[in-house]
Amino acid sequence: MNALLRFISLWLLGLAIYVGGWYIEGPAFQAVQMGAVGLFAAAGVLALMAGGTRRVELSAAETIVGGAFLFAMLVAFIRGNPMSTAFGAMFLVVLASAAVLARQDAAASLDAVFRRAYIALIASVLATQPDEFLASVAGTVEYSVGLVRFTPLGMHPNLSGLVYGGGALLFFQHCLATPRVHQKLFALMMSALCLSIVLAASARASLLALGLTGAIAVLLIGWRGSRRARMALVLAAIALLAVAIIKAGAIADYLTVILDLDSPTRGTESGATGREVIWREGIHLVLSDPLLFFVGRGVRAAGPEVIGFPVESSYINLALEHGVVFGLLIALCFVVTAWRALGRSFDTGAMNPALFLSGLMLVFVLFQSIFNRYLVAVGNPFSLLVLLLLLRLNLSLNLSPSRPRSASFPRPAPRERPHSSAAVGPHAAPQP
């Protein structure tokens, strides 16, 4: 019976991830999003019923994030905002389910579920929107419209950058972690497909975040990696440099088109699509009211329909919804967890790819959240992954003061070939 419950729990988790990747226009949108959240919560309930959940005390991340949303619910209730109060309660239910799933012994099963759900999403994109995808990734520009930006399964291009940019890191993690050559090649292909969707969507914030994340990875490998890893890094750099030199003109032309650099509204002279203007407005709003500065407005109570303009930054949005103190604490949870994961990933002398890429996923979402408000969310596949990852990393890193629990993050063999592939499954999604 317990095995059956675990099996159903994993299936519900996979359905939650898959359903969360569909953005249907019209009144059905909220129903689909709430359905994904409900499936995720049900997966946590069945996992708890199945037993085998490790009894580990609450981590600092769970206490801070949970406390922040409880406080935001109280603020919304006092302000007389029942919708915000309901959103806060919904997030706490998701957080509780994520806490249960993060304490399961079969961590590798969760990671496989995320990868399979992403494969199903990508297959659905290619099956239902092949022409739109090919036209967008080729950099099609229409007269009086501009660059055609891809919207996979109805998802906004900016959100697509988060979801599929994170998916590229998820598959690359498996590529490094698995010892099987055919699995490495397949994971590398899926990572490339995710990147192509990000390019087709012209999600510049995500491309920038991926570039900065890659730069940090290169610096860490160059500083703490093994001789073999450094040599691989040098060879890869030489190959990329050779391609860049040979195809410099074609690459420059393609990037100019796909990044919309010559556009009057999105180009280099547009002021980052006006983001610096709305950032100043958001900061001014936070500082304009001492009560708002400390307590915020409540969960999802800082949308454009409420304050009159969109807040295109997770950090300003956290200050508006939770207050500066709790907003800063939530952001620090991600920063500290990523720092510890990246530092611990070299403790054995050989890079632990599962742990290293897990830390890089948090780095990616931290950079990406400068330009979009998806740092803490529950309505998309990668946000759910990030939430789970945040909790799993905190639990795993806290179990041992010197190195993370091997059940969650296996140590590689002497030649940096891990015995098993255990990617990390988390969640962080856009607002439902």
Side-chain angles (χ1 to χ4, degrees), residues 140-166:
T140 301
V141 178
E142 294 184 0
Y143 178 73
S144 76
V145 175
L147 180 70
V148 177
R149 301 181 68 190
F150 188 50
T151 56
L153 305 179
M155 188 178 292
H156 189 281
N158 291 343
L159 178 56
S160 301
L162 171 77
V163 171
Y164 292 97

Side-chain angles (χ1 to χ4, degrees), residues 96-267:
S97 297
V100 171
L101 292 171
R103 286 168 169 78
Q104 299 303 303
D105 289 327
S109 299
L110 299 181
D111 305 329
V113 168
F114 271 93
R115 292 193 300 271
R116 289 165 185 166
Y118 259 92
I119 292 170
L121 282 172
I122 294 170
S124 298
V125 169
L126 297 179
T128 59
Q129 300 172 278
D131 296 336
E132 296 95 323
F133 169 70
L134 292 175
S136 298
V137 80
T140 301
V141 178
E142 294 184 0
Y143 178 73
S144 76
V145 175
L147 180 70
V148 177
R149 301 181 68 190
F150 188 50
T151 56
L153 305 179
M155 188 178 292
H156 189 281
N158 291 343
L159 178 56
S160 301
L162 171 77
V163 171
Y164 292 97
L169 294 175
L170 175 66
F171 283 109
F172 190 63
Q173 178 190 54
H174 187 57
C175 175
L176 295 180
T178 180
R180 297 178 175 85
V181 175
H182 70 282
Q183 290 184 359
K184 284 181 179 291
L185 293 175
F186 181 77
L188 197 60
M189 181 188 72
M190 296 307 300
S191 183
L193 281 173
C194 285
L195 285 176
S196 69
I197 292 176
V198 176
L199 282 170
S202 186
R204 300 186 300 185
S206 292
L207 290 170
L208 176 60
L210 285 170
L212 294 173
T213 301
I216 289 178
V218 168
L219 289 174
L220 286 173
I221 293 173
W223 175 34
R224 299 192 60 185
S226 65
R227 181 180 299 178
R228 182 182 178 187
R230 292 173 185 170
M231 181 58 67
L233 201 61
V234 170
L235 293 176
I238 292 173
L240 289 175
L241 182 61
V243 172
I245 293 174
I246 296 171
K247 296 290 186 179
I251 292 173
D253 292 341
Y254 177 74
L255 291 179
T256 299
V257 173
I258 205 68
L259 299 180
D260 222 5
L261 297 181
D262 291 334
S263 167
T265 57
R266 298 185 72 232

